[in-house]
Amino acid sequence: PPLAAKPEGAEEGGAGRRPVILRGPPFAAAGGATLRSSLHVGCAWVAMDIPQCILAHLCRYLYAETTRFGGLSAEQLYRLFLVAQYLEVPRLAALCERQIKVRLGLDSVLPLLRASAKDGVVARPVQDACKHFFLANYNLCTELRECEALDPKLLCELMRQHNARAVAASGQCSGQPRNGGGGTTIRPPP
């Protein structure tokens, strides 16, 4: 479906319904079809499934360059981050990423980690923040029931990173070199 919003109080099919038209190269490059009419020259319709709440925050940012993230959940912030990445609005994406990092908690880290792992490279900053939080709170995160639903490869990666950190921390605390040697250097014969 085309990216369009129905104003509050507008009747279905009535004169109050106006589509949201996004202009500029990022929107045309995002897979939208450019319209060729006298009213909408150079406009692009972008087919995306964007909840109205996310669309409202996107439009507020595009028109006024202001944000009000207070009412958004972590999942909604992540969806807004993805939309900003997809539509090439880097400052909004950075603001969303920062808010996600500030709000990360035990209740949101695993769903966000799972979603960001699924979304791939575009969600890498959020995935990295979730991994960092997970490792910093490893014991608490591994006790969560949602941890069982993580992708096994991702879970193994997190376990390896945790174990590597634990080994590094124990080596630094004991004062022993990591290679296990006693400081003797073996030289080949001349």
Side-chain angles (χ1 to χ4, degrees):
L3 178 64
K6 181 178 170 186
E8 295 290 327
E11 294 180 21
E12 194 65 35
R17 183 179 176 130
R18 293 194 175 164
V20 174
I21 301 171
L22 303 172
R23 303 174 189 272
F27 302 106
T34 302
L35 301 176
R36 300 285 182 217
S37 72
S38 60
L39 296 175
H40 303 292
V41 174
C43 297
W45 289 95
V46 180
M48 290 180 68
D49 181 24
I50 302 175
Q52 189 169 1
C53 173
I54 305 301
L55 182 61
H57 282 275
L58 173 66
C59 290
R60 177 182 294 127
Y61 181 80
L62 290 175
Y63 288 113
E65 291 191 15
T66 61
T67 56
R68 293 184 186 161
F69 294 136
L72 292 177
S73 68
E75 179 189 347
Q76 290 171 328
L77 269 171
Y78 178 69
R79 299 261 330 247
L80 184 58
F81 168 80
L82 289 177
V83 169
Q85 289 281 74
Y86 181 74
L87 298 176
E88 298 179 9
V89 186
R91 177 143 165 73
L92 178 59
L95 290 170
C96 292
E97 179 187 338
R98 189 171 127 235
Q99 279 297 308
I100 289 169
K101 288 177 181 178
V102 167
R103 294 184 188 187
L104 259 175
L106 290 174
D107 59 334
S108 62
V109 68
L110 292 175
L112 285 175
L113 183 57
R114 192 172 38 256
S116 62
K118 238 184 348 180
D119 290 324
V121 176
V122 72
R124 177 66 64 182
V126 173
Q127 184 179 11
D128 290 343
C130 290
K131 285 179 180 179
H132 180 76
F133 182 90
F134 187 97
L135 292 171
N137 301 286
Y138 186 81
N139 292 333
L140 294 172
C141 289
T142 54
E143 291 177 10
L144 297 172
R145 183 174 298 259
E146 294 173 344
C147 191
E148 297 170 5
L150 282 179
D151 177 51
K153 289 181 181 179
L154 178 61
L155 193 54
C156 285
E157 177 189 344
L158 290 167
M159 289 169 62
R160 270 188 248 117
Q161 288 180 2
H162 172 70
N163 291 339
R165 282 185 174 187
V167 167
S170 66
Q172 289 174 352
C173 292
S174 67
Q176 296 294 321
R178 280 194 229 173
N179 62 8
T184 305
T185 307
I186 301 175
R187 295 189 182 146

